């Protein structure tokens, strides 16, 4: 098992009405707050009112910055930086999902960018500072509420790139599962696929010794398989929503990757897909993952898929367990209404080469379970088509 360090610094407030009291938490970090949100779901479903009541009773001085798109855009981040600077903002409260949180993280560090915030995403500049941020989570999916990542789309250059910096780790996150009861079926399903994909990226590693991480990953996958369809069918089932919400945070807060190498090829393939076609992130993953699995399955990797089949899907016997485990995954994605092929969402096959080339250009060879070069990437896209 590889050596590691762990410091889970984000304070979690989990449960109903946990937004009450965050004013005290915010006061530890800032005086002039920017409340960042998305397309308006928080206003439609009453979440904004609860946050506003809490901030008003705590005498917190705040401005609103709304309109962050799903798959947040660079131009929205740049606008947020401008507004934050003009208003001397010293703390950001992100109220929303991964898109809102990621945009908030980018604004938080972008305030200090000497040239342009995009330099952090291309790797040209390193993030040195960021103003602190907190989160009120409204959809279970990305784990952004307790991690160091942010993903932003540059529409002009058709690039979707990420930063990974401790400087943007949220100080606290409110996880009230009742807030997720209004999430529409499609985004509930996309969230479940994303959670599972995060677990896969860390589970499908070439390293065999990190048994603790592997068994935790399998347990979380089983939670997604058991509770996910319940949350999908009955959005107001609090127990299912609660379990999925906590699974989403645990899936990408650093715990599952301890002691091992991780893969992340599928996310790169999926991000490229969403840079070209503005699909929900989870839907790009339900398309890419089964294809990736089929492509990387060979005599060297079969052991891992057999483990997956036995420990996650309860498959037994010795015949084609690896292949069956992938079939089971596709069945689950279909059960919750997700696509598993590009064609199902109307994508044509005329961009596959360009997408594979772009990944090659930005990252070079990718993947850990199996190293993937241009031809491999193209083959996976063709399988996913
Ligand atoms: O914009 P609003 O009106 O808020 O509506 C959103 C949006 O349309 C809606 N929604 C959210 N909470 C709701 C709700 N609707 C009703 N009731 C609620 N309570 O759901 C839609 C999707 O929201 P979004 O924030 O885009 O979803 P998600 O959390 O899946 O975030 C996706 C983004 O995160 C990135 C993805 O690439 C994508 O850009 N990721 C971030 C990661 C990270 N920071 O670690 C890792 C992931 O792999 C991923 O790349
Ligand atoms: Zn993801």
């Amino acid at each position: 098992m590889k050596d590691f360090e762990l410091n889970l610094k984000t304070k979690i407030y989990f449960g109903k009405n946990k937004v009450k009291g965050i004013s005290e938490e915010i006061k530890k970090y800032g005086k002039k707050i920017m409340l960042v949100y998305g397309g308006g779901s928080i206003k439609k479903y009453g979440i904004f009112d609860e946050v506003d009541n809490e901030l008003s009773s705590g005498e917190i001085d705040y401005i609103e910055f709304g309109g962050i798109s799903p798959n947040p855009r660079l131009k929205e981040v740049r606008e947020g930086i401008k507004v934050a600077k003009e208003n001397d903002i010293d703390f950001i409260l992100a109220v929303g999902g991964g898109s809102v949180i990621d945009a908030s993280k980018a604004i938080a560090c972008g305030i200090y960018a000497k040239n342009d915030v995009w330099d952090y995403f291309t790797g040209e500049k390193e993030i040195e500072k960021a103003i602190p941020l907190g989160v009120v989570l409204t959809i279970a999916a990305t784990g952004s509420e307790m991690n160091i990542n942010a993903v932003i789309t540059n529409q002009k250059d058709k690039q979707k790139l990420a930063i990974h910096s401790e400087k943007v780790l949220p100080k606290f996150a409110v996880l009230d599962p009742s807030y997720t009861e209004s999430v529409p079926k499609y985004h509930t399903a996309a969230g479940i696929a994303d959670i599972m994909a995060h677990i896969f990226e860390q589970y499908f590693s070439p390293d065999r010794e990190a048994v603790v991480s592997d068994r935790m990953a399998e347990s979380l996958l089983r939670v997604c398989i058991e509770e996910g369809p319940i949350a999908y069918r009955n959005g107001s089932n609090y127990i299912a929503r609660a379990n999925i919400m906590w699974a989403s945070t645990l899936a990408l807060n650093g715990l599952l990757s301890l002691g091992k190498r991780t893969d992340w090829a599928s996310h790169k393939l999926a991000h490229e897909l969403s840079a070209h076609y503005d699909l929900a992130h989870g839907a790009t993953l339900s398309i890419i993952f089964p294809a990736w699995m089929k492509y990387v399955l060979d005599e060297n990797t079969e052991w891992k898929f057999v483990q997956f089949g036995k420990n996650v899907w309860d498959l037994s016997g010795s015949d084609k367990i690896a292949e069956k485990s992938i079939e089971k995954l596709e069945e689950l994605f279909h059960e919750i209404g997700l696509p598993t092929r590009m064609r199902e969402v109307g994508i044509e096959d005329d961009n596959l080469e360009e997408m594979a080339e772009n990944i090659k250009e930005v990252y070079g060879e990718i993947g850990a379970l199996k190293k993937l070069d241009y031809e491999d990437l193209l083959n996976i896209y063709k399988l996913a088509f």
Side-chain angles (χ1 to χ4, degrees), residues 141-142 151 193-195 197-198 201 252 264 267 270-271 281-282 285:
T142 63
V151 192
D194 193 25
I195 300 165
H198 296 157
E201 300 282 17
L252 196 53
W264 295 103
H267 262 73
H271 283 161
H281 172 62
L285 289 160

Side-chain angles (χ1 to χ4, degrees), residues 102-329:
D102 287 3
S104 299
K105 288 174 175 176
I107 295 168
C109 63
I111 286 176
Y112 295 111
K114 291 201 179 77
N115 176 34
D116 181 43
V117 63
W118 191 243
D119 294 342
Y120 296 144
F121 289 82
T122 57
E124 241 159 86
K125 294 271 160 57
E126 216 168 285
I127 297 169
E128 282 165 17
K129 276 203 294 188
I131 60 168
L133 73 147
V135 171
V136 176
L137 187 65
T138 66
I139 177 172
T142 63
S144 187
E145 63 278 6
M146 198 181 179
N147 73 34
I148 61 172
N149 317 318
V151 192
I152 299 295
T153 300
N154 179 339
Q155 282 185 308
K156 193 171 131 272
D157 298 341
K158 287 204 178 131
Q159 279 189 311
K160 187 173 187 185
L161 299 177
I163 51 167
H164 313 278
S165 167
E166 296 277 346
K167 304 281 189 297
V168 298
L169 182 71
K171 299 293 179 196
F172 66 84
V174 174
L175 273 54
D176 182 339
S178 67
Y179 287 174
T180 65
E181 289 177 17
S182 55
V183 175
K185 271 185 149 47
Y186 175 64
H187 284 293
T188 299
I192 294 162
D194 193 25
I195 300 165
M196 295 184 78
H198 296 157
I199 304 171
F200 292 152
E201 300 282 17
Q202 301 165 90
Y203 182 66
F204 286 97
S205 162
D207 302 323
R208 292 174 187 248
E209 304 86 12
V211 179
V212 175
S213 298
D214 273 6
R215 296 295 90 83
M216 289 197 301
E218 287 159 358
S219 300
L220 288 174
L221 285 170
R222 294 181 72 108
V223 170
C224 294
I225 294 164
E226 288 160 20
E227 304 290 319
I230 301 173
Y232 174 76
R233 283 193 301 271
N234 179 7
S236 50
N237 184 315
Y238 179 83
I239 305 292
R241 290 290 196 185
N243 282 302
I244 290 296
M245 193 174 214
W246 188 221
S248 74
T249 306
L250 290 174
L252 196 53
N253 70 350
L255 273 177
L256 300 187
S257 60
L258 299 177
K260 65 203 292 204
R261 282 170 289 174
T262 55
D263 195 274
W264 295 103
S266 301
H267 262 73
K268 294 187 174 83
L269 285 151
H271 283 161
E272 187 60 32
L273 196 58
S274 97
H276 281 76
Y277 308 96
D278 197 11
L279 288 170
H281 172 62
T284 61
L285 289 160
S286 66
I287 291 171
I288 295 295
F289 247 106
W292 174 85
M293 287 179 167
K294 286 174 202 164
Y295 190 77
V296 302
L297 171 58
D298 62 19
E299 64 280 9
N300 295 322
T301 62
E302 191 184 13
W303 65 276
K304 192 75 212 188
F305 287 91
V306 170
Q307 203 180 74
F308 175 52
K310 287 187 173 166
N311 295 350
V312 176
W313 295 107
D314 290 331
L315 296 171
S316 57
S318 55
D319 193 31
K320 298 217 173 292
I321 292 199
E323 289 80 0
K324 282 182 195 158
S325 70
I326 304 171
E327 279 167 30
K328 294 287 269 181
L329 179 66

Side-chain angles (χ1 to χ4, degrees), residues 79-122:
E79 178 63 21
I81 293 168
K82 187 168 156 266
V83 173
K85 280 181 173 170
E86 282 165 4
N87 290 279
D88 294 322
I89 296 301
D90 58 7
F91 185 87
I92 295 179
L93 183 64
V95 186
S99 296
V100 168
I101 305 168
D102 287 3
S104 299
K105 288 174 175 176
I107 295 168
C109 63
I111 286 176
Y112 295 111
K114 291 201 179 77
N115 176 34
D116 181 43
V117 63
W118 191 243
D119 294 342
Y120 296 144
F121 289 82
T122 57

Side-chain angles (χ1 to χ4, degrees), residues 326-371:
I326 304 171
E327 279 167 30
K328 294 287 269 181
L329 179 66
E330 285 192 294
E331 278 168 27
L332 175 76
F333 286 158
H334 286 147
E335 184 189 338
I336 57 174
L338 288 172
T340 57
R341 296 288 184 284
M342 292 185 209
R343 259 186 309 208
E344 288 171 48
V345 290
I347 294 176
E348 305 286 337
D349 62 353
D350 40 10
N351 274 326
L352 306 186
E353 280 89 2
E354 188 193 329
M355 293 195 296
E357 267 163 30
N358 287 350
I359 298 175
K360 170 83 184 147
E361 201 179 301
V362 176
Y363 304 103
E365 199 178 58
I366 60 170
L369 185 67
K370 190 167 178 167
K371 300 267 180 232

